[in-house]
Amino acid sequence: MIEITPQIVREHGLSDAEYGRIKQLLNREPNYVELGVFSVMWSEHCSYKSTRAHLRRLPTKGPVVIQGPGENAGVVDIGDGDAVIFKMESHNHPSFIEPYQGAATGVGGIMRDVFTMGARPIAMMNALRFGTPDHPKTRHLVAGVVAGIGGYGNCMGVPTVGGEVNFHSAYNGNILVNAMCVGIARQDKIFKSAAEGAGNPVIYVGSKTGRDGIHGATMASAEFDENSEEKRPTVQVGDPFTEKLLLEACLELMATDAIIAIQDMGAAGLTSSSAEMASKGNSGIELNLDHVPQREENMTAYDMMLSESQERMLAVLKPGREDEARRIFDKWELDFAIIGITTDTNRLVIRHKGEIVADMPVNALADEAPVYERPFTRRPALPPLAKNAFDPKRPIADSLLQLIGSPDLSSRRWVWEQFDYTVMADTVQAPGGDAAVVRVHGTNKSIAIACDVTPRYCRADPFEGGKQAVAECWRNLTSVGATPLAVTDNLNFGNPERPETMGEIVAAIDGIAEACIALGFPVVSGNCSLYNETNGEPILPTPAIGGVGLLKDGTRHASVAFKRAGDAIVLIGETKGHLGQSLYLREIEGSESGPPPPVDLGVEKRNGDFVRGLIEMGQVDTVHDISDGGLLIAVAEMAMAGGMGAMLEGPDGIAQLFGEDQARYLLAVPHSIAQEILGDAKAAGVPAAIIGFVGGTGTHLEVPGMTATRIAALKSAHETWLPNYMAAPQ
Amino acid sequence: MKSAVVVFPASNCDRDAAVALEQMTGQKPVMVWHGDSEIPDVDLIVLPGGFSYGDYLRCGAMASQSRIIRDVKAKADKGVAVLGICNGFQVLTETGLLPGALMRNAKLKFVCRPVGLTIEESQSAFTRAYAKGETVRFPVAHGEGNYFADDATLDRLEGEGRVAFRYAEGENPNGSARNIAGILSEKRNVLGLMPHPERVVDAALGGTDGRRVFQSLIETLS
Amino acid sequence: MKARVFVTLKNGVLDPQGKAIGHALNNLGFASVGEVRQGKVIDIELAETDAGKAKAELERMCEKLLANTVIEKYEIELKA
Amino acid sequence: MKARVFVTLKNGVLDPQGKAIGHALNNLGFASVGEVRQGKVIDIELAETDAGKAKAELERMCEKLLANTVIEKYEIELKA
Ligand SMILES: Nc1ncnc2c1ncn2[C@@H]1O[C@H](COP(=O)(O)OP(=O)(O)O)[C@@H](O)[C@H]1O
Ligand SMILES: [Mg+2]
């Protein structure tokens, strides 16, 4: 067996102190297999050692929460005995190295997290960040990532219903690929990962094990440098066909009562699934690797324990139910093997070729992983925006056209048309709205899903940025009429060993926590992706928030498109004209300055609850929240979606039209209802005003102080940027 | 009307087809496993959309070799109606029940969007509830729907009134020859089409244009 | 015995993938590149040791599954 | 000059397509079939007439575009 040298310890990403601790816990030197197992279990990716202490501040409980963080995915009550199960996860590093397979296996991984709990996946979302469009790698990465997400999700037959895409130079060397999966289960059919009890068979199902992605988990916990393209470890290739069979086979097995515990093999494969199941079940597991289905010859115990081959699951069955389970996996033509047994020793024991090759206390692996209170510095607040930060005389129409066709605001149609968003025949709101709406099959209930974060706000002020991400997600769910239920997060940051980056993490978590508490929007699952930096250049802090809401009656939902000429356009919320960190400033004035818009969570809740009430009562069917680009962009989006013009009367001037003040919505309603709404708003203390009308000349957007602009011209700028960019030669 | 839906490994519109059939006919279809050897006596056999066998090698190629296909062929020969949607259409061309082949989309990308279709032929069990020349909208969702056949075959299909659906002018999503979206077999009891009628039978999902495919079948076969 | 099967589009059948590759190569400055066609290569390990029988079997595999002879042609190469 | 480029998955990289094809062939009764791997074959017409130069150029094409060297390897064959 390979001798453990300080060099080998370092190559496993363990510090001297961590190695010392391992020796102490084992009472001896670990052997090579054990070192490998510890290294993945104690990696940032699996142990959350830099963030664990801070994540505790997130609210995770609430009246609808059935299962918070700690299981494969979060579980939330949606009434009638149904539950929605969801989680978001990153596949950033693999996607940068091999965009198609990296993104595809990211989708596959997050789906397994959801169906391992007994849910049938019903919708996928993704949040993508790329470098600047003119960076030589960007086009190739966009093409590969989008094709990979589609390639896997489409084959699975789960609709991909939304997401977000941003471009910024901070992602030139580190793109972000975050995927979210939402599933539905019956509350009495939810499966967990605690391998309770001794003497129960441990079964392995799915694909065979190869030497895929060995050390993927440690790679996801290390910075990139110029050498990493050469040091590329084997990239995993996704097999969505096998995953589809695995999904159906697992759901079929779950319909019986043969399962005690089940867990997908994600990062660090067999190692983390077995250790975590034993730890949660307060039991031990003995594995015999001779029985592991293998794809390659001469695989060592180290290879098998660390392999990240995809499309595999580990389960603990009730004794005597093995044959019943085997028949199901045979039917789906998947590998099935009994590879071990649970014990009462609280140890993970691994046998291979007649020898014990590893024997470690389970709690040392799972619970004794280090937790760091890393030093951090807080960024000082930015001074208010300088008075001369923008040219007040700049023609508004030109800016509008430029913004609506800019990389971050242009239509994502080129992306979502590569995703099957109508399969399963329950998609009520397809991509292009504020939140996607998917019906709970066979009912009138619907689930709304949105994915949000504004990284430029987070860079300027991570605390306000964290709050804003939650608030915008909550607002997007509200805009379709859903009651926001709970969130999953995907915290993407740079190297936590830098105090400035750690400061961003701490502040963003504080902001998220504050917003989630204020909005009654608990966190039920999540994922951290750190070390996203290249040559010391970190990404923008990007804590993506995936939110899920419920529409008790899915037929009463609102959408962004103008529907009736003559409708009054009602603005809900207060407009101060906050231009700091706005897209207007960045795209038109070329400046990323000023503080981001502050979020008043009380106002946010008050305004949102008011708007949702109107949709629920059936008074309003046309709603759009105001976010990136401000009020005029939101009106333009409603006009383009409805193919109707609009005439504004109220707002005036660049700050009013393009400011990104929070907690605002636009409604379009018949005049008589508008008057009623104004009255109700006044009573509720909600700022509301009629700012214009749908229609106008019918074909133009008319705004005081702006040259009337054809909707067709807006649409052309909006729809062509991305396809033209992608069609241009490499 | 009694119907059956064949389920291949990684079919994924089997449930959608079953839901639409039940909604339209009031009767649950029989779900038939690809490894079975016989389909029960039904009026209509549906080969659903999806990614049978992952679409590996060629779309529909492996499914066309599955055990159940022998019986699909036998029943089709006897005149039982067979409807192949999307992947089901690919299976039908691979089995030879329909001529031609479905190739990779001309733009090489998967495409999901609602498309306009003109009804080219209302004289069939699948389309009689539509008016000839009418335009309807069904969603497409496929990576390989680019219909190909040699000119003689195409001429013959047109001459015999076997082009049932055509993509509306300017809306061809995949480069398909002569904008063909769906074709009939010689005996007109087999229809293959790339767009998804079963995804537009419910007003809550933004359209009901697909209903009349099922209504046509009910009128003809019940 | 090992075999390599080539499955390529028949002449006259449009090959958008090949065209796209040719285009991309030209754009990358490979001016010398003319027509490009893309096909599949399938490497098969066979227990059969008789070359004649192997070839006959491979032909049946091509006809039945590996190639769609409406649009594709195939070549078989036996190795070692 | 004509060239044929083979792009295949590196050893050890999972080949879901090859796996499924092998499985299907076995199911069709081709019992002799063992491991199957699928790759691409790209036929390229080149204006270049010097074999050495053509080969060098093809190698650059493979590295730049034709093969994804993270998971794939390539072989080049010059013809006539
Ligand atoms: N990667 C993606 N996949 C699918 N849909 C996307 C993607 N990115 C953006 N979209 C869709 O485009 C629309 C606009 O996105 P965005 O501007 O981020 O919305 P919002 O400002 O409401 O958060 C949304 O409907 C969103 O779901
Ligand atoms: Mg929105």
Side-chain angles (χ1 to χ4, degrees):
Chain A
M1 195 158 250
I2 295 165
E3 198 198 331
I4 311 293
T5 61
Q7 163 81 10
I8 285 183
V9 171
R10 235 172 300 122
E11 279 171 6
H12 279 78
L14 291 164
S15 69
D16 292 345
E18 288 169 345
Y19 187 64
R21 180 83 183 121
I22 291 170
K23 284 195 287 192
Q24 207 179 16
L25 287 164
L26 286 179
N27 259 322
R28 59 176 166 83
E29 299 258 347
N31 64 33
Y32 189 62
V33 177
E34 291 167 339
L35 181 73
V37 168
F38 268 103
S39 77
V40 290
M41 288 302 293
W42 286 21
S43 70
E44 186 67 57
H45 188 85
C46 291
S47 73
Y48 293 88
K49 56 191 168 192
S50 303
T51 52
R52 193 133 49 116
H54 300 284
L55 293 173
R56 289 192 189 113
R57 293 196 298 277
L58 295 172
T60 59
K61 295 200 170 64
V64 295
V65 177
I66 296 174
Q67 173 68 56
E71 276 292 336
N72 287 299
V75 184
V76 172
D77 185 353
I78 53 167
D80 313 307
D82 296 320
V84 60
I85 302 189
F86 58 96
K87 186 171 189 278
M88 177 154 47
E89 200 159 70
S90 64
H91 230 208
N92 303 335
H93 293 73
S95 301
F96 184 73
I97 292 172
E98 211 309 278
Y100 185 98
Q101 296 297 344
T105 50
V107 167
I110 192 62
M111 284 198 190
R112 281 195 297 286
D113 271 326
V114 166
F115 73 75
T116 195
M117 298 203 66
R120 178 171 286 281
I122 63 159
M124 295 294 300
M125 300 279 280
N126 55 78
L128 314 176
R129 321 276 159 190
F130 298 101
T132 45
D134 54 12
H135 187 272
K137 281 207 162 131
T138 300
R139 193 176 280 108
H140 162 74
L141 291 168
V142 173
V145 164
V146 170
I149 291 172
Y152 209 103
N154 298 344
C155 181
M156 289 297 291
V158 180
T160 300
V161 291
E164 43 175 2
V165 182
N166 287 166
F167 297 89
H168 192 280
S169 59
Y171 304 106
N172 280 349
N174 265 94
I175 61 168
L176 301 183
V177 175
N178 296 171
M180 174 173 171
C181 179
V182 180
I184 296 286
R186 295 292 299 165
Q187 287 175 21
D188 57 5
K189 274 295 194 185
I190 289 166
F191 293 82
K192 297 198 183 167
S193 55
E196 281 158 9
N200 302 316
V202 177
I203 64 161
Y204 167 118
V205 297
S207 278
K208 293 189 191 341
T209 298
R211 292 192 180 88
D212 309 271
I214 290 178
H215 274 296
T218 36
M219 168 172 84
S221 309
E223 252 183 69
F224 271 10
D225 59 37
E226 264 137 20
N227 292 329
S228 34
E229 292 212 27
E230 275 87 71
K231 276 193 291 186
R232 283 165 178 168
T234 16
V235 171
Q236 301 110 281
V237 169
D239 181 358
F241 169 54
T242 298
E243 176 119 323
K244 169 70 173 161
L245 304 186
L246 189 61
L247 162 67
E248 298 302 334
C250 284
L251 291 180
E252 200 170 317
L253 178 61
M254 285 162 168
T256 72
D257 65 345
I259 299 176
I260 292 173
I262 181 163
Q263 157 109 344
D264 67 298
M265 292 192 227
L270 205 45
T271 287
S272 67
S273 54
S274 56
E276 281 169 20
M277 286 173 87
S279 157
K280 287 193 188 128
N282 189 24
S283 64
I285 284 186
E286 238 182 82
L287 296 179
N288 186 339
L289 299 182
D290 299 343
H291 301 312
V292 169
Q294 295 160 45
R295 196 176 81 227
E296 292 179 68
E297 279 165 20
N298 304 321
M299 291 192 65
T300 64
Y302 182 92
D303 292 342
M304 278 187 264
M305 289 309 289
L306 269 58
S307 162
E308 294 195 347
S309 289
Q310 303 288 297
E311 293 95 22
R312 302 179 300 160
M313 293 270 190
L314 200 65
V316 176
L317 298 184
K318 293 180 183 163
R321 308 297 289 272
E322 298 90 325
D323 288 342
E324 189 181 341
R326 185 190 298 276
R327 271 196 298 277
I328 292 172
F329 289 90
D330 281 352
K331 170 183 156 194
W332 291 97
E333 303 189 23
L334 292 165
D335 272 295
F336 174 100
I338 300 165
I339 64 162
I341 190 160
T342 58
T343 65
D344 58 6
T345 61
N346 290 100
R347 298 187 76 83
L348 180 61
V349 177
I350 299 159
R351 291 173 196 275
H352 188 217
K353 299 189 170 158
E355 274 175 51
I356 291 185
V357 294
D359 183 350
M360 302 154 285
V362 164
N363 75 321
L365 291 169
D367 314 322
E368 296 292 333
V371 174
Y372 294 128
E373 296 267 6
R374 298 201 189 272
F376 62 89
T377 53
R378 285 197 195 266
R379 175 151 325 132
L382 290 165
L385 196 63
K387 285 271 180 296
N388 59 355
F390 66 98
D391 172 2
K393 296 215 184 62
R394 209 181 273 282
I396 292 170
D398 295 356
S399 301
L400 171 62
L401 274 167
Q402 190 180 332
L403 267 175
I404 204 95
S406 66
D408 273 0
L409 277 180
S410 61
S411 168
R412 272 64 181 116
R413 184 181 307 279
W414 183 92
V415 175
W416 78 60
E417 283 195 344
Q418 294 185 57
F419 305 151
D420 190 343
Y421 55 83
T422 51
V423 65
M424 293 184 95
D426 278 313
T427 304
V428 175
Q429 171 65 61
D434 281 324
V437 179
V438 179
R439 206 164 48 180
V440 176
H441 192 67
T443 75
N444 240 342
K445 283 187 293 201
S446 291
I447 300 295
I449 314 163
C451 227
D452 289 285
V453 59
T454 311
R456 61 182 191 280
Y457 294 174
C458 296
R459 164 57 61 81
D461 183 337
F463 176 74
E464 283 300 320
K467 275 166 66 184
Q468 196 275 340
V470 176
E472 184 175 346
C473 184
W474 188 88
R475 210 183 300 143
N476 274 324
L477 296 174
T478 296
S479 297
V480 297
T483 303
L485 293 174
V487 309
T488 180
D489 64 57
N490 203 146
L491 307 180
N492 306 277
F493 291 91
N495 179 351
E497 293 161 47
R498 288 174 206 281
E500 313 81 70
T501 300
M502 198 58 220
E504 291 174 345
I505 298 173
V506 171
I509 290 176
D510 282 337
I512 292 169
E514 189 170 308
C516 286
I517 291 167
L519 298 172
F521 202 26
V523 178
V524 294
S525 59
N527 173 247
C528 294
S529 171
L530 308 183
Y531 297 93
N532 290 293
E533 51 183 85
T534 302
N535 297 331
E537 284 280 332
I539 57 163
L540 300 185
T542 312
I545 301 294
V548 168
L550 176 68
L551 288 121
K552 288 216 174 78
D553 176 0
T555 57
R556 279 210 178 153
H557 78 278
S559 63
V560 303
F562 284 147
K563 297 173 185 66
R564 293 159 299 262
D567 270 10
I569 302 173
V570 179
L571 169 66
I572 302 288
E574 194 185 359
T575 303
K576 288 186 178 151
H578 186 101
L579 277 175
Q581 295 301 330
S582 64
L583 274 186
Y584 180 87
L585 221 53
R586 194 181 84 187
E587 296 297 319
I588 308 296
E589 299 289 348
S591 130
E592 296 185 52
S593 58
V599 179
D600 182 328
L601 294 161
V603 170
E604 198 67 66
K605 181 147 174 40
R606 185 193 65 199
N607 294 2
D609 288 347
F610 179 73
V611 170
R612 189 180 322 103
L614 298 175
I615 303 170
E616 281 172 350
M617 282 186 297
Q619 273 186 302
V620 177
D621 63 1
T622 305
V623 178
H624 191 12
D625 74 312
I626 299 178
S627 56
D628 278 346
L631 188 150
L632 189 54
I633 291 292
V635 174
E637 287 169 346
M638 298 172 87
M640 289 186 296
M644 285 182 198
M647 188 156 84
L648 297 195
E649 296 169 337
D652 191 1
I654 286 167
Q656 296 263 314
L657 291 169
F658 296 107
E660 296 182 1
D661 308 74
Q662 300 291 297
R664 293 185 300 160
Y665 301 81
L666 288 171
L667 324 176
V669 285
H671 220 265
S672 57
I673 301 182
Q675 293 303 335
E676 231 175 278
I677 289 174
L678 294 189
D680 293 348
K682 191 158 191 195
V686 172
I690 295 177
I691 60 160
F693 299 91
V694 177
T697 59
T699 53
H700 286 71
L701 188 54
E702 297 157 80
V703 179
M706 180 185 94
T707 318
T709 304
R710 283 190 317 125
I711 304 302
L714 288 169
K715 208 161 175 165
S716 152
H718 188 58
E719 291 290 349
T720 53
W721 183 80
L722 190 51
N724 286 350
Y725 168 67
M726 292 307 298
Q730 298 274 339
Chain B
M1 185 182 78
K2 281 189 290 188
S3 58
V5 178
V6 179
V7 183
F8 300 104
S11 286
N12 62 31
C13 307
D14 44 334
R15 188 189 78 180
D16 304 1
V19 168
L21 283 166
E22 186 179 356
Q23 190 176 327
M24 297 302 298
T25 66
Q27 246 179 305
K28 269 193 182 16
V30 190
M31 306 305 279
V32 181
W33 187 240
H34 67 99
D36 292 350
S37 47
E38 208 178 327
I39 298 172
D41 257 333
V42 292
D43 308 302
L44 170 72
I45 299 168
V46 177
L47 306 187
F51 281 68
S52 61
Y53 295 91
D55 275 357
Y56 298 157
L57 187 63
R58 287 185 316 280
C59 302
M62 296 191 215
S64 75
Q65 298 295 329
S66 56
R67 176 188 290 249
I68 197 70
I69 287 297
R70 264 175 261 162
D71 196 45
V72 174
K73 279 184 179 162
K75 293 220 158 61
D77 284 344
K78 277 197 223 134
V80 175
V82 179
L83 170 63
I85 304 167
C86 196
N87 194 224
F89 185 13
Q90 294 161 343
V91 176
L92 288 173
T93 58
E94 284 283 341
T95 56
L97 278 168
L98 290 174
L102 291 149
M103 311 210 1
R104 191 96 189 261
N105 291 352
K107 295 225 172 101
L108 304 176
K109 284 197 296 283
F110 188 94
V111 58
C112 177
R113 71 165 74 118
V115 295
L117 297 172
T118 52
I119 308 294
E120 292 292 314
E121 194 44 59
S122 57
Q123 307 276 53
S124 87
F126 304 89
T127 54
R128 58 187 285 176
Y130 295 98
K132 187 168 172 155
E134 181 184 358
T135 301
V136 294
R137 285 195 100 67
F138 296 1
V140 293
H142 60 249
E144 312 200 8
N146 183 353
Y147 185 72
F148 171 88
D150 55 39
D151 283 331
T153 308
L154 292 171
D155 289 343
R156 187 158 158 230
L157 285 172
E158 308 231 30
E160 294 173 358
R162 288 165 56 193
V163 175
F165 296 92
R166 227 189 275 274
Y167 299 113
E169 207 43 54
E171 295 203 52
N172 184 336
N174 53 34
S176 177
R178 302 189 192 176
N179 292 331
I180 286 174
I183 55 170
L184 293 159
S185 64
E186 205 171 339
K187 287 202 263 168
R188 307 178 82 79
N189 64 320
V190 180
L191 171 73
L193 80 172
M194 289 312 297
H196 288 273
E198 84 284 17
R199 294 188 193 178
V200 268
V201 295
D202 187 337
L205 307 180
T208 53
D209 281 359
R211 284 183 175 217
R212 280 179 285 162
V213 167
F214 300 95
Q215 277 160 3
S216 302
L217 286 162
I218 294 168
E219 281 171 29
T220 318
L221 304 174
S222 296
Chain C
M1 174 162 298
K2 284 187 178 182
R4 179 159 259 195
V5 175
F6 300 97
V7 181
T8 49
L9 288 169
K10 285 184 178 167
N11 294 336
V13 176
L14 201 69
D15 174 14
Q17 227 163 332
K19 230 170 71 180
I21 295 172
H23 208 73
L25 287 173
N26 290 149
N27 281 334
L28 282 172
F30 295 104
S32 153
V33 170
E35 208 196 347
V36 177
R37 309 271 294 170
Q38 178 177 323
K40 282 176 238 175
V41 50
I42 303 167
D43 289 312
I44 303 183
E45 275 179 14
L46 286 173
E48 182 58 66
T49 50
D50 179 280
K53 282 192 197 154
K55 189 128 196 201
E57 203 166 14
L58 286 161
E59 235 151 63
R60 277 190 295 128
M61 292 181 208
C62 287
E63 289 289 333
K64 254 200 128 149
L65 183 73
L66 302 181
N68 177 348
T69 50
V70 175
I71 45 172
E72 295 170 327
K73 58 187 195 307
Y74 57 86
E75 292 161 63
I76 293 166
E77 214 178 87
L78 287 180
K79 295 183 156 188
Chain D
M1 176 163 296
K2 283 186 178 185
R4 179 159 257 196
V5 175
F6 300 97
V7 180
T8 50
L9 287 167
K10 287 182 179 168
N11 292 335
V13 174
L14 175 71
D15 175 13
Q17 306 228 36
K19 199 174 85 177
I21 295 169
H23 209 77
L25 288 172
N26 290 149
N27 282 342
L28 283 174
F30 295 104
S32 153
V33 170
E35 209 196 348
V36 177
R37 309 269 295 169
Q38 179 179 322
K40 279 179 254 182
V41 51
I42 303 166
D43 289 313
I44 303 182
E45 275 179 15
L46 285 173
E48 182 59 66
T49 49
D50 178 281
K53 281 193 198 150
K55 189 132 196 197
E57 202 164 18
L58 286 161
E59 233 152 66
R60 278 187 297 130
M61 292 181 209
C62 287
E63 290 287 336
K64 268 202 121 145
L65 181 78
L66 302 181
N68 174 353
T69 50
V70 182
I71 47 177
E72 294 171 329
K73 57 188 193 313
Y74 57 87
E75 290 163 64
I76 293 166
E77 218 178 82
L78 287 181
K79 295 183 157 188

